Amino acid sequence: MIRCEELTKYFNGTQALNGCSFEILEPTLTGVIGVNGAGKTTLFKSLAGFLKPTRGEAYVLEEPAFQNIVAAQNVMLIEEGMAFYTTASLYELMESYRRFYQNFDQSLAIKMTEYFHLSDKKKYSDLSKGMKSTFRLILALSARAPLTLLDEPTTGMDPGVRKELYELILKDYIKVPRIILISSHYLGEMEELLDSILFIHEGKVLKHDNVEEFQTFLKGVQGPPELIESLEKNIKIYDRKDFGEGIRRIIVESKDLESLSLEEDEMNNLTVKGISPEDAFVYLTQRKGGGIDELYHS
Ligand SMILES: Nc1ncnc2c1ncn2[C@@H]1O[C@H](COP(=O)(O)OP(=O)(O)OP(=O)(O)O)[C@@H](O)[C@H]1O
C-alpha cells in the first residue's frame, strides 16, 4: 500500500534521504524514529507528495506520490509547520478538511474538540503550542485517510495530554485500521502503542521490524573484564562501560551472543539483560569517541 524505492532527496546539496527503501502492505501503527536530521520529515513530505524525489520514488496505492491527486486524497500529513488559513476558525478548518477527505468523520472531530476544550469558534493562530498540536491530531484522525502521517504529533503537549492522545490514536486505529506512521522522539512513551518501528538513519532505513524484535535484538552483558574481553574479540560491540570493582558491561546483538555458545560456567559469571527499544536506539546511533565528556577535555 506504500512503498519507497531507493528514495533520495537532496536540498541544494544537503542530503536528506539517501536510498530509503521499505514497504508497508497492511494496516499498522508504526513509529518512525531517528536522530535529528535523519530524514523523517522529508520522508513524510515525500509520501504526502509535497517533494519531488531527487532519485527513486515514493508510492502510495501504487501511484507515484509527487503531485498526484489520488495519492493526496488518501494521505493525511500533519506537522508543526503546516500552513493553515490563520484567520479561519477551527470550525472552518474542519469544514475544509471534510470537503477534501471523503471519509472525514465530522461528529468525531466535534466530539474531540469538545473533549479537549477547544472552542471551534477560536482561530488556530490563537491557540497555544500544545493546543495547536492537539487540534492538528484531531484533524488527522478525523480525516480517516488510508495513510495517516503524524510528524511529531505531541509537540508542546504536557505529559498528561500526551498520554491521552496516545490512547486516542490507538482507539481510533483499532476502530478504523489503516497505515498510521508516527514520528516521535518519545519512543519510550509510544512503545506500547506501536506494532512496528521504522528506524531511519542518515537518510536510509537502518531497521524496519516489529516492536518485539526491537525489544530483544540487543542485550547488555555484564561480568568480569577478562571474561568480557574474551567475548569482545569475537562479536560486534555497540557499547562498552567499565563500572570499576571488576565489572564491565558490553552491548551486543542477541544473535551474536547466542552464536558464541558459551559454557555453563562462563554463563554463570555473566549477567545478561534486555535493552529497551529506546536504549537500543541510543546505542545504534551514538557518536563514536568519548561522548559529551570529550567536549570538556582541555
Ligand atoms: N527545505 C530544506 N532545505 C534545506 N535542507 C533541508 C530542508 N528540509 C530538510 N533539510 C535537511 O535535510 C536533512 C533531513 O531533515 P529532516 O527534517 O527530514 O530530518 P528529521 O529526521 O525530520 O529531523 P528532526 O528529528 O530534527 O525533525 C537535514 O539535514 C535538514 O537540514
Side-chain angles (χ1 to χ4, degrees):
M1 170 88 165
I2 64 170
R3 191 167 81 250
C4 288
E5 281 177 7
E6 292 294 314
L7 183 63
T8 299
K9 179 69 188 175
Y10 283 82
F11 294 100
N12 299 320
T14 303
Q15 172 197 293
L17 291 173
N18 180 26
C20 179
S21 297
F22 68 97
E23 68 176 356
I24 298 178
L25 304 173
E26 303 284 335
T28 175
L29 251 178
T30 291
V32 179
I33 61 165
V35 296
N36 294 127
K40 303 177 296 293
T41 298
T42 307
L43 171 64
F44 280 10
K45 286 184 176 170
S46 303
L47 284 165
F50 299 163
L51 296 174
K52 189 177 191 317
T54 306
R55 274 196 311 279
E57 200 61 80
Y59 295 94
V60 172
L61 298 172
E62 300 299 324
E63 301 266 348
F66 181 60
Q67 289 186 345
N68 182 313
I69 186 67
V70 177
Q73 284 172 336
N74 285 285
V75 181
M76 174 74 194
L77 164 66
I78 54 156
E79 44 133 1
E80 194 178 0
M82 68 197 284
F84 281 127
Y85 302 108
T86 48
T87 53
S89 68
L90 302 189
Y91 179 79
E92 286 164 336
L93 287 170
M94 287 190 279
E95 269 298 289
S96 66
Y97 276 78
R98 185 185 62 77
R99 282 195 291 270
F100 190 73
Y101 290 99
Q102 60 174 6
N103 297 327
F104 193 93
D105 187 332
Q106 194 173 19
S107 77
L108 178 71
I110 290 168
K111 273 195 266 176
M112 287 197 284
T113 49
E114 283 170 1
Y115 180 82
F116 288 101
H117 306 294
L118 294 169
S119 160
D120 63 5
K121 293 182 190 63
K122 267 199 168 182
K123 285 183 203 161
Y124 177 77
S125 55
D126 292 341
L127 301 180
S128 73
K129 198 172 172 185
M131 285 171 171
K132 280 182 178 145
S133 293
T134 305
F135 180 67
R136 289 194 300 265
L137 189 60
I138 290 172
L139 284 181
L141 295 179
S142 307
R144 295 271 160 82
L147 174 58
T148 302
L149 304 169
L150 311 176
D151 192 5
E152 290 289 344
T154 55
T155 304
M157 289 176 187
D158 65 63
V161 177
R162 283 210 298 271
K163 201 164 180 289
E164 277 198 303
L165 286 168
Y166 294 140
E167 206 182 314
L168 190 69
I169 293 170
L170 183 59
K171 285 222 160 83
D172 200 65
Y173 170 71
I174 290 169
K175 182 139 195 243
V176 183
R178 55 211 196 267
I179 296 179
I180 302 183
L181 305 188
I182 313 173
S183 85
S184 175
H185 293 288
Y186 299 110
L187 179 59
E189 291 181 4
M190 288 202 316
E191 208 181 300
E192 279 181 39
L193 179 85
L194 304 172
D195 51 54
S196 301
I197 294 175
L198 181 68
F199 185 176
I200 306 288
H201 194 54
E202 296 175 353
K204 279 193 176 64
V205 176
L206 194 68
K207 194 167 171 63
H208 180 201
D209 229 314
N210 57 47
V211 171
E212 293 74 50
E213 164 63 14
F214 275 86
Q215 284 165 340
T216 54
F217 93 106
L218 286 189
K219 289 267 190 296
V221 186
Q222 198 168 299
E226 320 77 62
L227 177 54
I228 296 285
E229 219 161 273
S230 69
L231 310 184
E232 284 181 41
K233 289 191 185 117
N234 299 305
I235 49 177
K236 182 175 172 184
I237 309 297
Y238 287 85
D239 190 63
R240 174 196 298 113
K241 228 175 206 76
D242 279 306
F243 291 101
E245 313 284 330
I247 296 178
R248 177 178 287 185
R249 188 200 60 195
I250 52 172
I251 306 295
V252 300
E253 283 187 34
S254 307
K255 66 171 173 41
D256 289 347
L257 186 64
E258 278 162 30
S259 74
L260 293 175
S261 308
L262 297 173
E263 303 290 338
E264 203 180 327
D265 62 323
E266 289 178 306
M267 280 309 285
N268 288 340
N269 281 316
L270 294 173
T271 309
V272 180
K273 284 193 178 153
I275 302 291
S276 72
E278 194 166 30
D279 287 341
F281 167 71
V282 174
Y283 290 125
L284 287 169
T285 56
Q286 72 187 351
R287 293 181 180 86
K288 302 283 174 272
I292 292 290
D293 287 347
E294 195 97 308
L295 302 178
Y296 289 89
H297 278 168
S298 49

